[in-house]
Amino acid sequence: DALVVVSMNGVELGRTEVIRNQLNPNFVKPIEVTYRFEERQVLEFVVVDIDTAYKAGNEQAIDLKKQDFLGSCAVVLGDAVNAPGLIKVVPLLLPERLLSRGKNKKSLLKIQVEQLPDQNPQIALHFVGENLDKKDLLGKSDPFLRISQRSPHPAAVSNAAAAARDRHTRQHDLIYQSEARKQTLNPRWNEFSISMQRLCGNDRKRELLIECYDYDRAGPPDFIGAVETSVDALMQACAADEAIELINPKKRGASKVGGSLRLLKCEVFNKATFLDYIAGGCEISFSVAIDFTQSNKNVTDP
C-alpha cells in the first residue's frame, strides 16, 4: 500500500494518496511546487508502505514512523522541468533491510511535471452510471471511474499508418479517479471540478479515456467498460442528454456494452483568483486594538 511523501529542504510539501495492493502504483494527486529558476530546488521523494489504519483523504494524519520505508530519491526541480517530455525517471535508493535480503531489484520513480500558468478555466462534471455489468459473485458491483488523457507524443509521426500504430501504443496518464459506490449497477458519483489545463491541456478536442471498474478489496479491480471521448464530445452528450456506452471488448456474447454513462452536468467556468478579487475592488483591512484598562494590571508588568 504505497504512498509518496515529497519534501524540499526538510519541509514536507505534500503526500500522494495511498494506492492499495499495487507494485506499480499510478498516483493521481498532484503536488504543487513553486518553481524558481534562479534557485537550485532539490525535491526529496520518500516511498513508504502503509501498514496502519488510516482514513482515505486524510493521508496527512498518517504517522510515517510506523510505516515500512521502501525507498527514496532526490531530484533537482530544474532537471525535471528540462527533461524530455517533462518526464523524469529516477532510481529509488532501497533500504538496507531489502538489500541485505538480496532484493536488489531496480525500482524506479516516474516524475511528471506539468506547468500550470493559470488554473482557469475549470470544468464541472457530474456522472451517473446506468445498467452497469454485475461483477460481484454475491452482489452487484462497486463501480468507480477513472479519467485519463493520452500522453502527448514528443515528435510528429511521418505517415498515416505510423500515426495509427502510435495511437494504440502510447500510454494514458491518469488524471482523476472517483469514489467507489457500493452495491449498485446505477451509481451516482459525486460532482467534481478540475482545471481544463490539467484535464486536457485546454484542448477540448484532446482524447480522453474514461474507464469504469468494479472495486475489489481483495485484489485488482474488475474492468466493466471504457470509452474514448473528448471535452467537446462530453459537452454535446450532456446537452443532448445522450447515454455514453462503455465498451468491454472481452465481454462474452454478441454485445460488448458493459453499461453506459450519462452526464448530469458538464459546464466550463472561470474560477476567481485572489487577483480577480483585488481587481474587482475587494479591500482588506486589518486593525489592532490594545486594552490598557486597570483590569489588565500595570502596562509595564509583563
Side-chain angles (χ1 to χ4, degrees):
D1 299 339
L3 174 142
V4 179
V5 182
V6 184
S7 305
M8 183 167 62
N9 298 327
V11 178
E12 183 176 318
L13 301 178
R15 303 180 183 183
T16 66
E17 73 280 17
V18 178
I19 303 295
R20 294 173 56 86
N21 299 319
Q22 288 285 340
L23 297 180
N24 299 285
N26 192 349
F27 300 99
V28 177
K29 181 181 176 181
I31 307 297
E32 293 190 11
V33 182
T34 301
Y35 174 51
R36 299 181 176 87
F37 68 91
E38 72 279 8
E39 298 180 12
R40 189 175 186 271
Q41 298 170 282
V42 180
L43 299 177
E44 298 94 24
F45 298 85
V46 176
V47 185
V48 295
D49 175 31
I50 304 302
D51 291 327
T52 58
Y54 67 94
K55 184 178 180 180
N58 192 25
E59 287 80 7
Q60 290 297 131
I62 297 176
D63 187 354
L64 299 179
K65 296 180 181 179
K66 298 180 180 180
Q67 318 308 324
D68 289 333
F69 173 65
L70 296 179
S72 64
C73 64
V75 176
V76 177
L77 182 56
D79 294 342
V81 170
N82 293 310
L86 297 178
I87 296 176
K88 184 76 172 178
V89 179
V90 293
L92 287 175
L93 299 177
L94 301 180
E96 290 296 331
R97 60 181 176 81
L98 294 182
L99 296 176
S100 61
R101 299 176 191 171
K103 295 184 179 182
N104 55 357
K105 180 180 178 181
K106 190 174 184 180
S107 298
L108 302 175
L109 183 66
K110 176 183 174 183
I111 304 166
Q112 181 168 346
V113 179
E114 182 175 350
Q115 185 180 6
L116 299 176
D118 193 352
Q119 291 289 336
N120 295 328
Q122 306 274 312
I123 184 169
L125 297 168
H126 193 183
F127 287 96
V128 296
E130 298 178 347
N131 302 317
L132 301 181
D133 282 348
K134 174 180 175 295
K135 292 294 182 179
D136 292 343
L137 182 62
L138 301 177
K140 297 180 179 180
S141 290
D142 304 326
F144 66 92
L145 294 178
R146 286 177 178 172
I147 302 179
S148 309
Q149 112 183 188
R150 192 178 292 278
S151 302
H153 197 280
V157 291
S158 58
N159 53 61
R165 185 171 57 253
D166 171 77
R167 181 174 179 271
H168 293 284
T169 56
R170 277 155 52 200
Q171 296 182 343
H172 287 84
D173 296 322
L174 186 60
I175 301 299
Y176 173 80
Q177 180 169 306
S178 76
E179 73 285 357
R181 289 304 189 195
K182 299 295 184 181
Q183 293 298 308
T184 177
L185 301 181
N186 298 283
R188 185 187 182 103
W189 293 284
N190 290 337
E191 178 182 332
F192 68 96
S193 298
I194 189 172
S195 72
M196 289 284 285
Q197 172 68 29
R198 174 157 175 77
L199 180 65
C200 60
N202 279 325
D203 180 3
R204 298 192 181 193
K205 298 185 182 299
R206 178 178 290 186
E207 184 179 303
L208 301 174
L209 176 67
I210 303 178
E211 302 168 290
C212 186
Y213 288 89
D214 169 43
Y215 174 77
D216 192 346
R217 181 182 295 272
D222 297 318
F223 181 66
I224 295 177
V227 61
E228 290 185 343
T229 183
S230 65
V231 171
D232 271 352
L234 291 177
M235 297 185 71
Q236 292 173 10
C238 182
D241 193 25
E242 295 179 349
I244 304 170
E245 290 186 339
L246 298 170
I247 304 302
N248 183 357
K250 296 183 179 181
K251 183 179 178 180
R252 295 180 180 179
S255 175
K256 303 299 181 183
V257 179
S260 61
L261 298 176
R262 196 177 294 273
L263 273 163
L264 301 182
K265 185 176 183 179
C266 183
E267 297 180 0
V268 177
F269 64 96
N270 287 328
K271 181 179 179 181
T273 65
F274 179 75
L275 292 180
D276 292 331
Y277 284 104
I278 297 299
C282 177
E283 295 183 0
I284 299 176
S285 59
F286 178 70
S287 301
V288 177
I290 301 175
D291 184 3
F292 284 113
T293 59
Q294 186 64 30
S295 61
N296 289 328
K297 300 181 180 180
N298 193 323
V299 294
T300 61
D301 185 1

